[in-house]
Amino acid sequence: MRSNQLPVTSYQLRVTRGEPSLAGHWLLVTGYCFAFMFILNTASGAPDVPLNFDGWVPDALAKLETVGITGGFHRQTAPLSRAEVAAIVRQAESRILRGTVVPSEIDRKLLEKLKRAFSRELTGRTGQVLRFLPQLRATEQKIAPALAGAFRYTAGSLEDRIAPRLVLYSEFETHNFESRALDGKTAEQRLEQWRGGYTGDFKRSYLQVNNSYLSLLVGRDWVFWGASRHKTVGISDNSPPFDQIRLTAMLGKRFKATAFTTQLDSTWYDDGEKRYLAKRYMSGHRLDYQHNDRLEIGVAEWVLYGGDAQTLDWKYANPFTFYYALQYNAKADDNVMFAIDAAIRPVDGLRLYGEWLIDDIQYVPGANDPHAVAWLLGLTWYPERFDRQFEVHSEYARVNRWAYTHLVPDNQFTHFGYVIGHPIGTDSDTVRVSASYQFTVSAEAEVHGVLTRQGEGTIADRFYGEDFKVLPFPTGVVARTTEIGGRFSYRPLDAWNIFLSYAWQHTQNSEHRSGETRRGHRVKFQMGYLF
């Protein structure tokens, strides 16, 4: 889940494997970098670091909702706007004043921190805000500075909602680190090198117009649909953000409707006889239902289509129709997917959730094709005996072979070479268990263990009539990766911020070679001063 929290200026350092060279003038932080890099030989590449000035906000909202402080809100459709976060904060305060809930000491302080961070929205102030984030990053190749910034302008206000009538928002980042896509068929570069190997990218940039019931967004932004707060099996933030037109409607207090249309990256099609540049598009719509403070259900449908001389298909841009029926009637071969997700809090402090994606399901008797589905189950628990400071989290995700794929290569579920859904890709599953402790409102530590299995199936595979009933899951020589690690974060609103993480990885049958073993470590260190 993401929110539109404005960034603040900070100096940061990120460390991964290798022996970098010195760059910039920040000798003090560079010393920290060398200390960590020479201790461990890590197994990670150059990080694709999105702007995340407010990474603590989604975590704080998720925690307060799980323990019952905020009451229900539509957290399964993200990103949340700053106005939505402000409304959630007011709702939590109202519940406390009425005596509906009694927050623990740590939760009361967390709510106060949110009030300070969103004071402009809570007091109805408009105008412009400009922030910068100078950074120092390190990878196996080098240490180099980067710069990120954000501009936000708001005007007008809605009397019946905590929301401005107009929002202009833009995030920009420049750096000289390579970004490697997973699929080489994309015909476009999201990041093009400029002087000194630097690239510039607008991570988010949009104009948003609001009225009492409807919000229209035009520009670049993330889409995150699902019950998990990490990655979903549907539309997640694993791929770059979309250039889109998005409508969001609040239908009373219980329903939230969302629809968008975007153009994806173009890809090359070349089978040796025919070669063309495929234009690709995706449209989606979703309806969330908040039954009460403890139960939320979401249903979604989206369609991805492309091809030679393909243009925007206006029947799919219509948010009030069903894509499957349109495709069936037109005898088209587009990639239509359905998803349903739900979360329930049987008691305060415990949240159970699940997601189910249908890429292709065989409902005709006698069909000799496999079901292409993905699903996810998880739980989050804050035991009351630890004053809600201790968290236990567990999640399992599985993507069957041929999910995310399509017989038409132009219609595979990717954007700039990255899977739009869960990062494990197709023919894989993963289970994660973690425990964390929140020492203060800004300091938290976590330990985790992750087991991932990856079969030989890839998103580029096509189903050509294989005997799928005898295939195991995952298929072929299975790569099994075990990861054990931990992290510590200290994220106040101002002053020094610190983030440190470590993970040890062990992979059996590396790169699907039987008996091949790979071991490695991954370290990331970041510190900055917020002002």
Side-chain angles (χ1 to χ4, degrees), residues 392-515:
V392 177
H393 179 260
S394 179
E395 185 173 284
Y396 173 79
R398 168 171 169 158
V399 182
N400 284 1
R401 186 167 181 174
W402 296 296
Y404 299 159
T405 68
H406 199 268
L407 284 175
V408 179
D410 309 332
N411 295 343
Q412 67 185 25
F413 199 47
T414 60
H415 183 39
F416 285 101
Y418 292 90
V419 176
I420 297 174
H422 203 284
I424 60 174
T426 189
D427 197 20
S428 303
D429 66 349
T430 184
V431 60
R432 175 188 176 90
V433 179
S434 65
S436 63
Y437 190 82
Q438 192 165 10
F439 298 97
T440 69
V441 70
S442 298
E444 184 181 21
E446 176 195 273
V447 294
H448 69 263
V450 183
L451 175 62
T452 303
R453 300 185 302 170
Q454 294 182 317
E456 293 188 16
T458 71
I459 201 167
D461 287 349
R462 310 287 175 258
F463 178 69
Y464 293 120
E466 295 92 335
D467 189 0
F468 64 90
K469 295 180 181 178
V470 301
L471 291 177
F473 176 84
T475 61
V477 178
V478 179
R480 293 176 170 84
T481 301
T482 302
E483 176 178 304
I484 299 174
R487 64 174 176 84
F488 172 79
S489 61
Y490 177 64
R491 299 180 292 187
L493 289 180
D494 49 26
W496 288 101
N497 277 227
I498 297 173
F499 178 83
L500 170 66
S501 71
Y502 165 79
W504 170 83
Q505 290 184 339
H506 177 267
T507 301
Q508 296 176 306
N509 301 331
S510 177
E511 299 181 357
H512 307 290
R513 298 174 181 174
S514 183

Side-chain angles (χ1 to χ4, degrees), residues 149-226:
F151 171 80
R152 177 183 174 88
Y153 174 78
T154 57
S157 61
L158 299 176
E159 296 180 358
D160 55 343
R161 288 178 55 195
I162 308 176
R165 292 187 179 274
L166 178 71
V167 177
L168 177 61
Y169 184 76
S170 186
E171 290 181 2
F172 178 78
E173 183 179 34
T174 178
H175 59 79
N176 64 351
F177 292 92
E178 294 182 1
S179 180
R180 297 186 295 271
L182 305 180
D183 180 5
K185 291 186 176 181
T186 182
E188 298 173 305
Q189 290 290 332
R190 181 60 182 264
L191 300 177
E192 189 68 31
Q193 288 189 351
W194 192 53
R195 300 294 179 88
Y198 270 77
T199 59
D201 187 29
F202 286 92
K203 295 285 187 176
R204 301 169 75 184
S205 190
Y206 58 80
L207 175 68
Q208 187 175 20
V209 182
N210 304 308
N211 67 20
S212 297
Y213 304 101
L214 189 66
S215 171
L216 170 65
L217 182 146
V218 180
R220 178 173 294 179
D221 198 12
W222 304 94
V223 176
F224 191 94
W225 288 355

Side-chain angles (χ1 to χ4, degrees), residues 243-290:
D243 295 303
Q244 60 184 287
I245 297 176
R246 187 171 76 218
L247 287 171
T248 304
M250 299 302 298
L251 310 176
K253 293 184 178 180
R254 294 190 175 185
F255 289 94
K256 179 179 182 180
T258 309
F260 76 93
T261 291
T262 178
Q263 181 173 347
L264 302 176
D265 67 309
S266 300
T267 59
W268 285 112
Y269 177 83
D270 189 352
D271 62 1
E273 298 181 0
K274 185 177 182 181
R275 187 174 189 265
Y276 62 81
L277 181 65
K279 295 291 185 180
R280 305 166 68 241
Y281 301 85
M282 185 168 69
S283 294
H285 46 205
R286 176 182 171 90
L287 182 65
D288 287 274
Y289 172 64
Q290 188 81 46

Side-chain angles (χ1 to χ4, degrees), residues 65-68 294 344-351 380-381 388:
E65 191 270 343
T66 301
V67 300
R294 299 188 179 276
I344 185 171
R345 292 191 303 111
V347 296
D348 289 343
L350 177 63
R351 181 174 185 261
T380 302
W381 180 38
R388 309 297 194 193

Side-chain angles (χ1 to χ4, degrees), residues 274-438:
K274 185 177 182 181
R275 187 174 189 265
Y276 62 81
L277 181 65
K279 295 291 185 180
R280 305 166 68 241
Y281 301 85
M282 185 168 69
S283 294
H285 46 205
R286 176 182 171 90
L287 182 65
D288 287 274
Y289 172 64
Q290 188 81 46
H291 180 68
N292 51 34
D293 289 349
R294 299 188 179 276
L295 176 64
E296 180 173 5
I297 300 172
V299 292
E301 182 192 30
W302 57 86
V303 57
L304 193 156
Y305 56 99
D308 188 13
Q310 178 69 59
T311 59
L312 177 66
D313 198 328
W314 288 101
K315 69 174 180 288
Y316 291 140
N318 186 340
F320 305 107
T321 55
F322 293 101
Y323 303 141
Y324 179 76
L326 294 174
Q327 175 202 232
Y328 188 88
N329 292 337
K331 295 184 178 180
D333 194 11
D334 301 322
N335 195 0
V336 179
M337 300 186 185
F338 302 89
I340 182 169
D341 50 73
I344 185 171
R345 292 191 303 111
V347 296
D348 289 343
L350 177 63
R351 181 174 185 261
L352 309 174
Y353 60 90
E355 302 174 7
W356 188 38
L357 167 76
I358 302 173
D359 187 358
D360 191 15
I361 192 167
Q362 306 307 315
Y363 59 86
V364 178
N368 194 33
D369 290 337
H371 297 306
V373 299
W375 51 278
L376 179 151
L377 293 173
L379 68 86
T380 302
W381 180 38
Y382 291 92
E384 189 174 3
R385 64 177 299 179
F386 293 100
D387 295 326
R388 309 297 194 193
Q389 292 178 264
F390 181 68
E391 176 197 17
V392 177
H393 179 260
S394 179
E395 185 173 284
Y396 173 79
R398 168 171 169 158
V399 182
N400 284 1
R401 186 167 181 174
W402 296 296
Y404 299 159
T405 68
H406 199 268
L407 284 175
V408 179
D410 309 332
N411 295 343
Q412 67 185 25
F413 199 47
T414 60
H415 183 39
F416 285 101
Y418 292 90
V419 176
I420 297 174
H422 203 284
I424 60 174
T426 189
D427 197 20
S428 303
D429 66 349
T430 184
V431 60
R432 175 188 176 90
V433 179
S434 65
S436 63
Y437 190 82
Q438 192 165 10

